Amino acid sequence: MSTDVVDLILADHRRFEELFRGLRDRSADRTTLLGELSALLVAHAEAEESEVYPALKRYKKVDDDEVDHGAEEHAEGHQALLALLEVGDTASEEWEDKLEELVEALNHHVDEEERTILNDARSEVADDRRAELGRRFVEVRQERLDDDCGDIAYVRRLAKETADRID
């Protein structure tokens, strides 16, 4: 398994897509899939913001505005995730609507992040530095997962703490 932070982030992005496909399947165990998505999404965002984004902002050829915008989009994602988690009935139309809002927000973020921040990181940040960032990213992500960061109470607190980032 690669330790390159770009590869690790991209692998999480592909996992989000797999989980969304599962969540759209009405015959799937949506509760279990949502729990996995919630935990991974929160852990991923927090690891990016604590380890990756601050480091990338120090590189002149990585766009600081895009990095800041990525953090804003994480906050939007936390709001959309919380809205989905708060709908109790996974078979309801409201749940379907909230799922699509989360999918749309996350797909938008992933697309922008991959085209801007991650492309810049791959071309401008040395391999050994990307590997070090990858190790730190994995470490923080695992710490958050171990803290049950996908729990609704955790997501509720995070959404409240980051609400001021949203334009």
Side-chain angles (χ1 to χ4, degrees):
M1 181 173 169
S2 174
T3 60
D4 183 314
V5 70
V6 174
D7 293 339
L8 293 165
I9 290 171
L10 291 173
D12 279 358
H13 289 176
R14 301 300 75 84
R15 181 65 186 143
F16 297 147
E17 292 166 358
E18 291 170 12
L19 289 166
F20 283 145
R21 280 191 292 279
L23 286 163
R24 285 176 164 149
D25 180 353
R26 291 177 187 257
S27 67
D29 181 353
R30 288 175 155 181
T31 302
T32 298
L33 291 171
L34 181 56
E36 183 181 343
L37 175 69
S38 181
L40 184 58
L41 189 56
V42 169
H44 174 96
E46 289 193 322
E48 279 185 340
E49 288 182 36
S50 72
E51 300 302 321
V52 181
Y53 284 5
L56 292 180
K57 285 183 81 165
R58 291 192 284 273
Y59 287 85
K60 289 182 176 33
K61 301 234 175 162
V62 176
D63 189 330
D64 287 359
D65 291 336
E66 287 298 333
V67 174
D68 291 339
H69 183 64
E72 290 171 18
E73 290 181 342
H74 285 169
E76 292 169 358
H78 299 324
Q79 297 293 328
L81 175 61
L82 178 60
L84 179 60
L85 290 169
E86 289 181 332
V87 178
D89 182 2
T90 61
S92 70
E93 193 62 38
E94 180 184 14
W95 195 90
E96 298 277 347
D97 292 344
K98 297 298 180 190
L99 172 62
E100 291 310 312
E101 289 171 18
L102 176 59
V103 168
E104 185 177 315
L106 189 61
N107 283 345
H108 171 82
H109 169 70
V110 163
D111 177 60
E112 280 190 356
E113 186 175 72
E114 289 180 6
R115 283 186 297 107
T116 60
I117 299 168
L118 297 182
N119 277 342
D120 289 350
R122 191 175 303 278
S123 66
E124 301 301 327
V125 180
D127 293 352
D128 60 335
R129 182 67 175 126
R130 287 197 322 268
E132 172 60 27
L133 286 173
R135 286 188 290 277
R136 291 180 23 214
F137 172 80
V138 168
E139 183 179 305
V140 170
R141 184 182 60 184
Q142 190 59 53
E143 287 172 5
R144 296 307 187 277
L145 290 169
D146 292 345
D147 288 342
D148 199 20
C149 66
D151 176 71
I152 191 168
Y154 191 104
V155 176
R156 191 173 282 129
R157 186 176 77 247
L158 185 59
K160 185 177 180 180
E161 290 170 3
T162 61
D164 63 331
R165 291 188 206 160
I166 301 170
D167 292 333

